[in-house]
Each structure stands twice: as C-alpha cells, then as structure tokens.
Amino acid sequence: MRVVVAGGTGFIGRNLVKWLRGAGHEVTLVSRGPPAISAGGEGGRHMTWEQLGREGAPECDAVVNLCGENVFQPRLIRAYGHEYKHDMRASRVDTTNMLSAALRKSGVRPKVVMVPSAIGIYATEEERQFDEQSPLPDVGGDFLRQLCHDVEASGRRAAEENSCDLVALRIGLVLGKDGGLFQQLKLPFSLGLGGNFGDGTQPMPWVHIADMCAIVQFLLEREGPPVGGPVNCVAPARHTNADFTRAMASSPAVCRLARGVAFLHTPALAISAVFGRDRAMHMLSRATVVPAYLANAGFQFQFTDLRLCVNDIASQ
C-alpha cells in the first residue's frame, strides 16, 4: 500500500514508518524538517508541510496522522496556558485539516484516514469500564477530553470530504525504548527513585510500541466493512500503575543498581501541583479501557504481560 504518514518523526511515527517500510509498504513521510534530519525518514519519499500545501497529496491508499504536541509537559517547563493549549490543538486538528485539503487539491481518494485521538476521551474520577461503543463521560470544562472530541470531529470531516473510511486511534500509554513514559522513567527507576503515581490503584491502559505499529498495519490491511470510528489501542490485559511500578522495579535490565526498590511515590497533590488539576485527573483516571474492536476483528497482541513488555523494551 501507499501510505502517507504525518508526524513521522515523533516517537510513534518514526517507529511506524520503519515498521510499514519493513512490511513492504510505500511510505511518504510528512514533517516540518528535511529528510536528512527526519528520524525514520531514510528511504522512501518525504514531503514538508509547505510542499504538501503547495503540491497537494501524493497518490496514496491511506493517510495516517500522528502529529501531536506533548500534552504532559510539567508547568515548570511550559505554562499550561492559552499558547500551549493552542499548540496541542493545532498540532492535531489543524494538521488533519491540512491533510484533508491536500487530498482535495490533488483529487486523491484514499481508502482510509487515521487520526490521533487518545484514551483521555474516557478520563474520569469514577471507576468505569469503556469500550469503543460505551457512552463517553461529559466533557465539562476538561480541555484534554474536548481535544480528543475535536480531533475525532476533524477526522470525520476529512473522511466525509474525501469519501473514505475514518479510524480514530484512541491511543493508550505507548511503551518503547526511544520515547514515551518508559524512556522518561527508566533512569529514576534504575537509581531506585521510582514509585507509584498517587496510590497506584488506578488502571494503566498501555500498549507496546510494536503492537501499536502492528495495530495500524492491521487496520490498513484488513478487509471488510469500514471502521467508521474509534479503535482503542491498548493491550487487553488489565494492569494498574502499581503493577507498572513493580514491573519496572523488578526488571534486571532496568534496575541494575537498585533492583526491587521503588518507594518514591508521587502523591496526587504533588501531581496536581506540577501538572494542574485537569491533567492530574487524566494521569490518575479510574477508567478501564478495553480493546473490543481489535478483539472482535481478530487482532493478535504480541505483548499482553506488562512484565514481559518492560523486560523486552529494557533489553533492547
């Protein structure tokens, strides 16, 4: 297949580009920088956003948008204000709109457009289980929940404008060696400075980066009726944040100096102070997320055990 991947220099994107090319797909990478500095950009075609707007989209069978400003930068690094929220929204919604416009300009009709939503759409302080068909929590004044809704709405518009299928990737916590939560926490845990977030009992919907890439490939290659909506990209096993703490602390490849030590827990009040109350609620959400669509479609996860996942990543 011919696949356009936007955001192909981020953590998920660069792994996906490499994965799809390894599976024999022809990938066009869209990013701000030139090919020489685009991670995962070796081989295949590259386009800048400016070039995409000027020339239109290349011939393709699918468009995968993985753009997105990091939503969990601490307030000491970046103020959680209007400018930051604008960038979070623009990097997801505006890029989807730009991809849709580029498709219309060139007259290309892909089979599917995929957009980067998140399990944050389910975030709640109540203990609830969600699959793709579950009623969603009220948005209220929660910016991150609203952001997920806006991203998916932009995806629906793009699919309607270009007469193609929509897949809203509701992505969980993606674990991999070169980005995301694992990369951020490996050093503290290796020094015996890891611990739970809050009391650690909150569910932790996670997915190995290899399974995340395999999910996208599966959705691209599948035959059958259109998806036409969300797909929960999380492992089927249910684990808590405390399970993750134990998996990290017990891994010999992570904790070479202080194996089994993880006592530096972060209280909920401290998380709220560092990230703000609304983002803290997402980090401590009581939502359990189930990958019902993937289960019903016959997708086979490679990693369902959190300890095996952590050990696999740490040993790479």
Side-chain angles (χ1 to χ4, degrees):
M1 294 180 69
R2 298 163 300 178
V3 186
V4 172
V5 177
T9 60
F11 167 45
I12 300 175
R14 62 178 176 265
N15 281 279
L16 179 64
V17 168
K18 182 177 180 181
W19 182 280
L20 292 178
R21 286 177 175 162
H25 295 292
E26 179 184 320
V27 179
T28 298
L29 171 64
V30 180
S31 68
R32 288 175 294 182
I37 62 172
S38 295
E42 65 283 353
R45 186 178 181 187
H46 172 272
M47 298 182 75
T48 64
W49 285 101
E50 181 182 1
Q51 184 182 4
L52 185 76
R54 185 175 63 250
E55 301 177 7
E59 285 293 332
C60 61
D61 303 299
V63 174
V64 182
N65 186 10
L66 291 172
C67 295
E69 177 79 12
N70 180 4
V71 301
F72 288 113
Q73 294 190 52
R75 293 196 291 189
L76 289 175
I77 295 177
R78 187 168 188 191
Y80 189 58
H82 175 75
E83 182 181 355
Y84 186 16
K85 291 179 178 180
H86 172 270
D87 289 349
M88 283 190 273
R89 189 178 189 280
S91 62
R92 293 166 171 82
V93 175
D94 291 1
T95 53
T96 299
N97 294 339
M98 292 167 66
L99 288 164
S100 181
L103 289 169
R104 296 196 307 275
K105 181 169 185 169
S106 59
V108 173
R109 289 292 180 265
K111 170 186 167 184
V112 62
V113 169
M114 299 187 186
V115 295
S117 188
I119 59 168
I121 202 167
Y122 303 121
T124 175
E125 294 175 324
E126 303 173 4
E127 292 189 3
R128 292 177 58 185
Q129 177 174 299
F130 297 92
D131 63 25
E132 292 88 347
Q133 302 304 315
S134 301
L136 297 173
D138 291 336
V139 171
D142 187 286
F143 173 78
L144 294 182
R145 273 200 299 249
Q146 184 63 57
L147 178 61
C148 292
H149 283 276
D150 291 346
V151 170
E152 296 189 13
S154 70
R156 288 191 294 272
R157 287 194 302 271
E160 291 169 1
E161 291 169 351
N162 297 283
S163 303
C164 63
D165 190 14
L166 164 70
V167 175
L169 300 167
R170 291 180 177 170
I171 302 171
L173 293 167
V174 183
L175 302 179
K177 69 171 183 176
D178 56 345
L181 186 67
F182 180 88
Q183 185 188 55
Q184 296 168 7
L185 295 181
K186 183 178 180 181
L187 179 59
F189 271 95
S190 71
L191 300 174
L193 301 177
N196 299 336
F197 290 163
D199 63 12
T201 61
Q202 69 274 19
M204 182 176 160
W206 60 275
V207 63
H208 191 294
I209 184 63
D211 279 329
M212 184 67 235
C213 295
I215 288 169
V216 174
Q217 180 185 357
F218 176 82
L219 295 171
L220 288 173
E221 297 176 351
R222 62 178 289 280
E223 301 292 338
V227 177
V231 173
N232 290 340
C233 303
V234 297
R238 302 182 187 183
H239 293 99
T240 65
N241 176 255
D243 292 330
F244 176 70
T245 297
R246 285 189 288 269
M248 290 287 283
S250 64
S251 172
V254 173
C255 298
R256 300 181 186 277
L257 300 179
R259 186 178 176 188
V261 178
F263 63 89
L264 204 63
H265 307 310
T266 307
L269 285 176
I271 295 173
S272 183
V274 173
F275 293 98
R277 187 183 182 283
D278 53 347
R279 287 190 294 173
M281 189 276 289
H282 281 258
M283 296 174 72
L284 302 172
S285 170
R286 313 301 296 189
T288 296
V289 182
V290 178
Y293 178 88
L294 292 172
N296 293 334
F299 178 78
Q300 297 295 315
F301 284 85
Q302 182 180 356
F303 294 93
T304 58
D305 184 283
L306 187 53
R307 287 178 183 266
L308 294 179
C309 171
V310 167
N311 286 333
D312 176 77
I313 296 168
S315 62
Q316 294 177 16

